[in-house]
């Protein structure tokens, strides 16, 4: 059973949520629960999948708009920042970075054969984009009453997971990027943190070759157990980091994985 969202936790907050494709997306659940907690929300999408994002946006408790954003295009980042200035008087309380991509030849066990261009694509889209998004929105985030919050979705970059390959390398880079972002954005009152989630059944996860092999053993290896069909524990940790309750936390990685990160290899007894 889902825990109730504290009423008013995000009252008056304005949040930009990336990474929603369908209702299965972790980011969709963040947006839905943020609305329940009192926040105003905008989503982003781009290209052909944007129509799916717009459909998912209509299924939120309060339907919302979807802004065009390819995070690798500076002109899109500038346009989103301008829209926030016009729509929300230039104030943004938080942003969720739920963006990751690696070409097929960078995943699935072909680590040693992956060409440099594919590794670079994984890095730019999955790690550098955190800095790019935060930098574009920093003027608006710095106006947040309780400090702006940048939150990213992670998958433990300290471990060389099977099949994850160059996406794992990109996630390690994402963790380093968040730490440096915390250092450089902190003086403007903006914090940067990540939530490292266990495997969840999303469209993005299903695109990783061999994902089920990793997910199937997670519950056995998690001291608390793990439900790959329930994204709400991850969403709730993100809500905490977007809220004023996390106002003195930055540069952190919070693991929401049933405890696997602390208990050793998945499936070890």
């Amino acid at each position: 059973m889902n825990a109730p969202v504290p009423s008013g936790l995000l009252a008056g907050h304005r949040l930009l949520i990336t990474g929603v494709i369908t209702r299965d997306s972790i980011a969709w659940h963040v947006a839905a629960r943020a609305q329940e907690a009192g926040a105003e929300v905008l989503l982003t999408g781009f290209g052909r999948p944007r129509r799916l994002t717009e459909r998912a946006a209509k299924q939120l408790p309060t339907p919302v708009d979807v802004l065009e954003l390819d995070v690798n295009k500076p002109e899109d980042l500038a346009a989103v920042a301008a829209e926030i200035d016009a729509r929300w008087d230039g104030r943004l309380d938080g942003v969720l970075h739920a963006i990751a991509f690696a070409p097929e030849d960078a995943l699935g066990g072909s680590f040693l054969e992956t060409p440099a261009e594919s590794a670079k694509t994984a890095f730019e889209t999955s790690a550098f984009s955190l800095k790019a998004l935060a930098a574009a929105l920093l003027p608006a985030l710095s106006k947040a009453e309780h400090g702006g919050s940048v939150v990213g979705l992670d998958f433990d970059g300290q471990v060389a997971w099977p099949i994850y390959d160059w996406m794992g390398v990109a996630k390690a880079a994402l963790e380093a990027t968040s730490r440096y972002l915390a250092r450089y954005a902190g003086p403007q009152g903006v914090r940067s943190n990540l939530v490292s989630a266990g495997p969840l059944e999303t469209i993005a996860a299903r695109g990783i070759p061999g994902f089920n092999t990793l997910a199937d053993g997670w519950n056995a290896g998690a001291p608390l157990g793990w439900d790959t069909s329930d994204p709400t524990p991850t969403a709730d940790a993100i809500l905490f980091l977007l809220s004023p309750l996390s106002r003195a936390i930055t540069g952190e990685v919070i693991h929401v994985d049933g405890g696997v990160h602390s208990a050793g290899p998945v499936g070890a007894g």
Side-chain angles (χ1 to χ4, degrees), residues 38-60:
E40 292 183 69
V41 172
L42 284 171
L43 304 185
T44 72
F46 78 99
R48 292 178 62 187
R50 180 172 170 173
R51 61 185 178 81
L52 296 177
T53 304
E54 290 171 341
R55 185 182 305 166
K58 294 175 182 177
Q59 296 172 322
L60 289 168

Side-chain angles (χ1 to χ4, degrees), residues 131 173-186 192 251:
K131 188 283 300 184
L174 178 73
E175 293 177 6
T177 301
S178 181
R179 289 191 292 270
Y180 277 93
L181 183 58
R183 172 178 287 275
Y184 287 104
S192 177

Side-chain angles (χ1 to χ4, degrees), residues 5-268:
V5 178
S7 177
L9 177 66
L10 295 173
H13 277 54
R14 296 162 172 177
L15 304 177
L16 182 70
I17 307 293
T18 71
V20 171
I21 300 177
T22 68
R23 284 191 58 155
D24 292 334
S25 302
I26 299 168
W28 187 91
H29 289 271
V30 173
R33 290 172 81 76
Q35 287 185 338
E36 293 172 18
E40 292 183 69
V41 172
L42 284 171
L43 304 185
T44 72
F46 78 99
R48 292 178 62 187
R50 180 172 170 173
R51 61 185 178 81
L52 296 177
T53 304
E54 290 171 341
R55 185 182 305 166
K58 294 175 182 177
Q59 296 172 322
L60 289 168
T62 301
V64 300
D65 292 338
V66 178
L67 307 182
E68 179 76 14
L69 176 62
D70 178 342
V71 79
N72 292 329
K73 291 184 177 180
E75 61 270 27
D76 281 10
L77 291 165
V80 167
E83 179 64 24
I84 288 171
D85 283 345
R87 187 181 295 235
W88 283 340
D89 300 321
R91 193 199 89 219
L92 183 67
D93 296 283
V95 56
L96 173 64
H97 177 280
I99 300 168
F101 173 76
E104 186 176 350
D105 60 0
L107 298 164
S110 59
F111 181 87
L112 295 178
E113 291 77 38
T114 299
E117 286 306 313
S118 294
K120 290 175 185 176
T121 296
F123 167 76
E124 181 180 18
T125 306
S126 308
F128 184 82
S129 63
L130 178 69
K131 188 283 300 184
L133 181 64
L137 299 175
L138 195 57
L141 288 164
S142 66
K143 295 178 183 177
E145 181 179 358
H146 300 287
S149 178
V150 179
V151 183
L153 269 178
D154 189 21
F155 190 79
D156 200 339
Q158 301 178 82
V159 177
W161 298 104
I163 73 166
Y164 211 45
D165 294 355
W166 286 96
M167 181 60 83
V169 175
K171 290 298 187 182
L174 178 73
E175 293 177 6
T177 301
S178 181
R179 289 191 292 270
Y180 277 93
L181 183 58
R183 172 178 287 275
Y184 287 104
Q188 298 187 52
V190 177
R191 56 197 187 273
S192 177
N193 296 287
L194 302 178
V195 171
S196 180
L200 292 163
E201 296 168 9
T202 64
I203 285 180
R206 289 193 289 271
I208 300 173
F211 169 80
N212 289 339
T213 303
L214 183 62
D216 288 347
W218 206 274
N219 183 55
L224 291 176
W226 184 252
D227 183 353
T228 60
S229 67
D230 184 7
T232 58
T234 301
D236 289 348
I238 292 169
L239 254 61
F240 162 71
L241 290 173
L242 289 170
S243 81
L245 296 178
S246 70
R247 60 193 177 277
I249 300 173
T250 196
E252 187 60 84
V253 178
I254 294 180
H255 291 81
V256 183
D257 63 358
V260 164
H261 75 283
S262 66
V266 172

